[in-house]
Amino acid sequence: MRFLLLLLLLLVLHPATEAAVGLVTVPERQGVRLTIYNGVDLTLVQETRTLVLRQGRNRIQYQWAGTLIDTTSLELRPLERQDDIEIIDALSPPHAPATLVWEIESKIEGAVRFEISYFTSGVAWTADYTMRADRDEATAMVEGWVGVDNRSGESYAHADIRLVVGTITLIERIRDLASGQVEERSKQLDRRAILRHGRDLLGKRAADKDGEADGVAMERTRKLAFDELEQAAEVVSARLADYHLFIIGGEQDLPDQATTRFLAIQTRQPMVLEVLYRVELAEQAQAIKLYRFVNDAEHKLPDGPLPDGPWHVFRVADPATSELSYQGLAAHEYTPPGQKVELELGVDPGVSVAQVHEQHCETDQHFDRRGHLDGWIAHDRWMLTMVDTRAFPLSLEYLIQAQGSWEVTNLTGERRDQYTWRHQDRLAAGDRLVLGTFTISTRMGVLAAADGLAKAVHLPVPLPLPAISPAH
Amino acid sequence: MKPMLPTILSACLSLCCTCASAAVALTTLPDRERVMIRFEDSGQVLVEEARTLTLDKGTNQIGFTWLGVDIDRSSIQLLGAGGVGFNVIRATYPPGQENSLGWEVSATAAGAAQVRISYLLQGISRELSYRAVVSEGKDPRLSLRVYQRLNNASGENYDAAALRAAFGDLRDSPLASGEIRQQLSARFLEVPFTKRYIYDPAKGERVMVDYVLSNSADGKLGKGLLPGAKMRIFQQTGQSEAFLGEDVAKPTPLGEEMVLHIGDSKDLTVRRAQLETRQEVVQRDSDGHVVLWHQLTDMRFEVENFTGDEKRIELDEHLDGEWDVANPLQLLEKRIAPEKYEEAKGEADPAGTLERKDADNLVIHLTVPAGRRVVLTCTLRRLNRH
């Protein structure tokens, strides 16, 4: 484990006697808030500490070592008596790595609460989910967890944790900034403006939510009675500009090198599930099983997005004993409220599917003035047979991919895009579904370009193969 | 007896007093009361343990550690199954301990809570195999047994486990670490089957023998999906058995055929000859060049049956594009000397059939009487070439 030193020294400097520098106090961290972004290695840390100021010039030395703090992002600001306190300078002393000295001009004397904020690397959060479907796969219960992994080199106790879902632009990696690799370039960035913007948004969010000032809210959460813990540990979902925020209630410990998971999403009642099988037109067809549902209140999901993450999917194998069977590991992209979620569970051998490419033929040959073949229509006849050998109904999504100028005959559906035809169907338990024979007709050469000619499509009628006759 | 791997798999319960959250006391170490091991078709193994925890009202810490076993940490679940209700507040993976997990749960009251802890366990596997015996007689049937071979290399001892699998029945039994246990999982008797002889020029000059079973009630199977596994087929010969061959059966859903290729036939021969290829002009350009044509190929198939039984054979032809068949003629011959034949006049000559299997495959079905040769000639027409 890396050596960690995070030290705050308060030095008071009397304007008249600059050489007389004395150590006054080493204040404890009173509160800390971590805003952790996923997708980028970035965490905004906001610490609250009380410094005892003397009237006049004060010098505060802040040191850190063994951590992944972005030096350029460090900022100190008073949380009270702002009109009487001014941060006039910040100095990185020569030959003193991981050290910053702030000079403060104070009109007052006494204890003042300050916030020290900075970006750090090494703290990440991810989401993961557990789904337990009923035996008949009609409904399911869902739990969504957020896991915070702290590899920053610093342990955070009693932390107020906020998790940001979204894609944020980061010009340089915090880890590189922390290690000084791009220090010179980073000095040109207005990183403090970014920091202030983020802090303002978070503060506004907290005030909106709690009806209290930011620092007061932080203080209040520290003093939660123990019997409120369960409620406090609930994860609240909120918007943050174009991003989304999960606020983990209560104070949480994030030890260095440890992972902590919080229950963020939980269905209180079974949500309706659709079992979908997706089949694509191919010689070796297979039915891919998907669980599909919409991220909305109707599906008993709390208001808010579902961050991307893996899903462990289970199904009740025996309702009498509630024994589970493991359906598989699925993944999904970030899903905003109101959007559907599809969990791909792989091939289900309980549903058999066979596709036969019955025939290929060409018609409507077209010749140019010199007699060269310059266009024709190719027809491919297909048939799909699908059998649901399970005891439950299912939905089918049948996708046909085609290129060029094409049309599908004898199969209901819709053109999804330039290349895709979609047919949807339902199968009852034990049912057998036969689609077709349907034909994909593709206009080739000049027939693909000339609309007038392309309409002259004559679907071929396949002739049966002849009977074998005796030779004698 | 194989040496046991050192294994500890434990759940410990510690209570957190509301007045002093730092005072964590270990109060009990409950044994698991029941274990269910479920072997999924995907190869994953899900273990569910039933335990009874004694919870205090309020917040409780539950520690779960394991040693010497490979558990998918992300799959571990704690579920209430009865007794005092509780909610899981958070789960913590302590630093430097890859084999440990702590839950913080909030109980609505003090008392006993029945819980189930489930996880995916590595190192424990199941292998299925089929053993089929063909009976003697004119109308042979198969007796088919399905075995499940359970191999516990997980490092964990299961003294008594409820064993489950997606296919077949498993008896509850102990499964010690290092133990391999084979159980008869299903048995099907008097299973009808057909032998299918196939000649495919893409697979060489041989006639393949397939055994075809129907996964249906009529086929004396049909209880559900037949999983894919190796099948060994034996022939009953009096009091003993002779090995006929083996194949890997594909997973066979209900209503589908299970096809097993067990070897080649030497007593059924096929000679395939391409006699002539020519063009039939459809269109010429203004310079007289052929721009669209049909390609015609005259074919001759000679199928000879050296056995004493009538045989049905499938001849596969692979074609591409648009095609059909013209002038199929069939002649039954008998051998009068080595490589000398004459027409077998007056004998029964079951007519063959042509089947368009799909866009690229023609199948010629022929029935060849015992000791006779069938000669089939036809023209394969590949249409509208350009």
Side-chain angles (χ1 to χ4, degrees):
Chain A
M1 188 164 167
R2 285 176 299 177
F3 171 69
L4 168 66
L5 173 64
L6 192 62
L7 184 65
L8 183 67
L9 301 172
L10 177 64
L11 308 161
V12 179
L13 190 68
H14 295 279
T17 56
E18 279 200 17
V21 176
L23 178 65
V24 176
T25 180
V26 183
E28 290 285 322
R29 182 193 282 157
Q30 291 168 302
V32 62
R33 169 177 294 167
L34 278 76
T35 306
I36 309 165
Y37 295 78
N38 73 343
V40 290
D41 187 6
L42 172 71
T43 296
L44 171 62
V45 181
Q46 293 162 293
E47 299 179 355
T48 310
R49 302 198 189 222
T50 298
L51 308 180
V52 180
L53 297 180
R54 300 285 296 270
Q55 202 168 13
R57 188 70 57 87
N58 297 259
R59 185 176 286 177
I60 298 167
Q61 181 171 292
Y62 190 66
Q63 287 184 309
W64 63 95
T67 66
L68 296 169
I69 290 175
D70 168 17
T71 315
T72 65
S73 69
L74 269 163
E75 190 173 285
L76 176 73
R77 69 173 185 121
L79 293 174
E80 54 196 0
R81 308 293 297 268
Q82 286 92 342
D83 294 341
D84 299 325
I85 299 167
E86 190 175 358
I87 316 289
I88 57 172
D89 203 359
L91 173 70
S92 296
H95 314 301
T99 304
L100 189 72
V101 177
W102 282 295
E103 285 195 5
I104 302 172
E105 188 68 39
S106 175
K107 295 177 184 170
I108 56 165
E109 192 159 316
V112 177
R113 286 193 311 114
F114 278 81
E115 180 193 88
I116 299 172
S117 60
Y118 53 86
F119 289 147
T120 187
S121 175
V123 185
W125 75 271
T126 53
D128 66 272
Y129 304 85
T130 302
M131 172 182 277
R132 286 185 291 275
D134 291 344
R135 180 173 164 71
D136 62 3
E137 299 178 316
T139 60
M141 300 293 281
V142 169
E143 287 171 2
W145 295 78
V146 287
V148 181
D149 189 35
N150 181 8
R151 308 282 158 183
S152 69
E154 169 73 334
S155 292
Y156 294 97
H158 308 300
D160 173 16
I161 300 171
R162 292 160 182 233
L163 311 174
V164 179
V165 190
T167 305
I168 190 167
T169 302
L170 206 58
I171 300 164
E172 285 139 332
R173 296 195 314 159
I174 298 298
R175 188 177 294 272
D176 293 342
L177 293 171
S179 61
Q181 289 177 23
V182 288
E183 194 171 354
E184 290 306 313
R185 268 187 64 204
S186 67
K187 285 178 180 171
Q188 299 167 15
L189 299 172
D190 191 6
R191 191 165 294 280
R192 295 190 176 194
I194 300 172
L195 192 66
R196 272 194 295 276
H197 179 63
R199 186 178 53 228
D200 291 347
L201 287 168
L202 292 171
K204 182 175 185 304
R205 185 64 245 173
D208 291 347
K209 180 179 180 307
D210 303 334
E212 297 168 299
D214 210 13
V216 178
M218 192 181 282
E219 188 66 24
R220 183 182 65 84
T221 52
R222 285 189 64 242
K223 294 175 178 169
L224 277 172
F226 192 81
D227 54 7
E228 288 181 61
L229 189 60
E230 185 195 340
Q231 187 183 351
E234 280 188 0
V235 179
V236 177
S237 175
R239 286 210 66 79
L240 167 68
D242 289 327
Y243 309 131
H244 206 91
L245 201 63
F246 286 109
I247 303 165
I248 299 173
E251 293 179 345
Q252 310 296 339
D253 292 341
L254 291 181
D256 185 33
Q257 307 300 315
T259 304
T260 308
R261 292 168 79 227
F262 304 95
L263 187 58
I265 295 163
Q266 190 174 28
T267 49
R268 302 286 181 190
Q269 298 170 35
M271 78 174 185
V272 175
L273 199 62
E274 182 187 11
V275 183
L276 175 75
Y277 284 80
R278 180 169 289 147
V279 180
E280 293 188 9
L281 181 83
E283 298 281 357
Q284 300 293 326
Q286 52 188 13
I288 304 294
K289 181 179 183 179
L290 300 104
Y291 281 168
R292 187 155 74 177
F293 57 92
V294 180
N295 177 22
D296 60 12
E298 193 179 327
H299 286 77
K300 318 297 181 195
L301 289 167
D303 183 30
L306 297 174
D308 61 309
W311 289 67
H312 281 292
V313 181
F314 299 85
R315 185 169 76 94
V316 173
D318 183 354
T321 61
S322 298
E323 286 177 5
L324 297 174
S325 112
Y326 186 63
Q327 297 289 289
L329 185 65
H332 83 288
E333 298 291 320
Y334 170 88
T335 309
Q339 289 291 306
K340 70 182 175 191
V341 180
E342 289 184 346
L343 302 178
E344 188 174 311
L345 299 171
V347 177
D348 182 352
V351 174
S352 75
V353 58
Q355 284 184 111
V356 180
H357 180 199
E358 286 196 333
Q359 192 183 21
H360 170 86
C361 65
E362 294 171 5
T363 65
D364 297 73
Q365 284 84 0
H366 186 269
F367 301 90
D368 65 14
R369 283 180 297 176
R370 296 180 60 194
H372 294 146
L373 180 70
D374 63 358
W376 66 94
I377 300 176
H379 305 275
D380 289 281
R381 290 163 53 86
W382 288 83
M383 187 167 77
L384 170 89
T385 306
M386 187 169 180
V387 183
D388 180 7
T389 65
R390 311 167 326 134
F392 315 110
L394 61 86
S395 299
L396 165 68
E397 183 179 75
Y398 186 41
L399 300 175
I400 295 170
Q401 306 282 345
Q403 294 214 332
S405 173
W406 56 272
E407 65 183 28
V408 176
T409 316
N410 288 340
L411 182 69
T412 58
E414 58 179 338
R415 188 186 281 259
R416 294 280 288 169
D417 55 38
Q418 190 179 350
Y419 308 106
T420 313
W421 182 263
R422 182 174 73 170
H423 170 86
Q424 298 182 89
D425 232 311
R426 291 277 299 168
L427 269 81
D431 248 12
R432 180 187 185 86
L433 173 73
V434 179
L435 296 178
T437 303
F438 60 88
T439 303
I440 305 166
S441 300
T442 310
R443 299 164 189 84
M444 313 296 286
V446 297
L447 297 193
D451 287 345
L453 291 171
K455 287 175 184 169
V457 173
H458 304 292
L459 280 183
V461 179
L463 296 173
L465 293 174
I468 299 175
S469 306
H472 53 81
Chain B
M1 185 162 173
K2 293 182 179 177
M4 301 275 185
L5 290 171
T7 303
I8 301 171
L9 192 62
S10 67
C12 57
L13 175 69
S14 16
L15 297 182
C16 219
C17 300
T18 53
C19 53
S21 61
V24 176
L26 183 69
T27 57
T28 180
L29 186 70
D31 288 332
R32 60 185 172 214
E33 294 147 9
R34 185 169 170 273
V35 177
M36 189 275 293
I37 303 173
R38 185 174 185 85
F39 298 90
E40 306 288 358
D41 280 339
S42 62
Q44 299 273 17
V45 176
L46 178 68
V47 177
E48 286 190 276
E49 301 181 355
R51 298 185 189 235
T52 299
L53 305 179
T54 306
L55 298 179
D56 235 12
K57 183 178 179 182
T59 303
N60 300 258
Q61 302 279 353
I62 302 170
F64 186 66
T65 59
W66 57 96
L67 189 66
V69 291
D70 187 1
I71 287 177
D72 179 351
R73 206 165 69 158
S74 71
S75 70
I76 303 173
Q77 290 186 89
L78 174 70
L79 296 171
V84 170
F86 64 87
N87 289 320
V88 178
I89 298 170
R90 65 175 69 78
T92 307
Y93 303 97
Q97 297 179 38
E98 292 300 315
N99 56 347
S100 181
L101 164 67
W103 286 290
E104 194 169 313
V105 304
S106 173
T108 53
Q114 285 82 49
V115 302
R116 282 188 296 129
I117 299 171
S118 66
Y119 48 85
L120 295 173
L121 181 64
Q122 308 296 314
I124 187 165
S125 61
R126 174 193 63 152
E127 188 182 1
L128 279 123
S129 63
Y130 295 91
R131 190 177 195 279
V133 179
V134 182
S135 65
E136 295 177 293
K138 280 265 178 189
D139 182 22
R141 300 292 175 111
L142 282 177
S143 67
L144 186 64
R145 287 173 170 77
V146 189
Y147 294 93
Q148 306 212 35
R149 187 180 169 89
L150 313 176
N151 184 355
N152 182 7
S154 70
E156 174 69 351
N157 284 308
Y158 292 100
D159 299 332
L163 303 178
R164 304 280 185 272
F167 169 82
D169 300 321
L170 288 172
R171 291 186 310 283
D172 295 354
S173 58
L175 202 57
S177 177
E179 192 173 72
I180 298 173
R181 180 182 290 272
Q182 181 166 295
Q183 289 194 1
L184 176 62
S185 179
R187 185 193 327 220
F188 304 95
L189 301 175
E190 293 289 308
V191 176
F193 69 98
T194 55
K195 271 193 202 175
R196 191 179 284 167
Y197 297 92
I198 296 172
Y199 172 81
D200 182 348
K203 293 179 179 171
E205 296 292 318
R206 61 187 184 136
V207 175
M208 296 177 291
V209 183
D210 289 349
Y211 280 42
V212 183
L213 287 64
S214 171
N215 186 12
S216 63
D218 289 344
K220 299 287 180 68
L221 298 168
K223 289 185 176 174
L225 173 85
L226 287 172
K230 185 165 79 174
M231 182 181 292
R232 286 187 167 143
I233 301 180
F234 296 82
Q235 172 70 57
Q236 186 78 45
T237 54
Q239 293 300 308
S240 68
E241 294 171 351
F243 181 55
L244 295 180
E246 65 181 18
D247 193 11
V248 177
K250 291 179 182 167
T252 309
L254 208 59
E256 301 288 309
E257 285 184 341
M258 178 182 275
V259 180
L260 302 157
H261 172 62
I262 63 158
D264 298 340
S265 170
K266 299 294 184 190
D267 296 328
L268 198 59
T269 61
V270 175
R271 182 172 175 271
R272 172 184 179 272
Q274 198 167 300
L275 301 178
E276 185 188 357
T277 298
R278 59 190 182 280
Q279 259 186 11
E280 190 175 284
V281 176
V282 178
Q283 184 80 24
R284 291 179 189 273
D285 66 11
S286 55
D287 298 327
H289 298 128
V290 177
V291 293
L292 191 67
W293 69 94
H294 301 327
Q295 180 178 302
L296 311 182
T297 307
D298 293 333
M299 301 293 299
R300 178 184 171 93
F301 299 91
E302 299 169 356
V303 185
E304 187 161 7
N305 179 1
F306 290 92
T307 74
D309 302 313
E310 181 181 274
K311 301 289 185 192
R312 286 183 59 81
I313 187 169
E314 296 176 6
L315 310 179
D316 290 347
E317 273 299 310
H318 305 290
L319 298 153
D320 62 325
E322 184 179 355
W323 54 267
D324 69 5
V325 183
N327 305 320
L329 298 172
Q330 174 182 325
L331 181 65
L332 182 68
E333 294 180 336
K334 63 181 177 186
R335 191 172 57 248
I336 54 173
E339 299 190 14
K340 285 193 75 174
Y341 299 87
E342 67 175 23
E343 186 179 351
K345 292 181 178 172
E347 294 186 14
D349 184 11
T353 56
L354 303 178
E355 178 198 3
R356 189 187 292 273
K357 187 178 175 184
D358 57 39
D360 302 319
N361 291 287
L362 165 71
V363 181
I364 304 167
H365 299 272
L366 292 179
T367 302
V368 188
R372 292 292 178 261
R373 182 170 90 157
V374 169
V375 178
L376 179 94
T377 57
C378 64
T379 301
L380 304 179
R381 304 199 315 155
R382 293 172 172 87
L383 304 171
N384 296 318
R385 302 269 142 174
H386 49 82

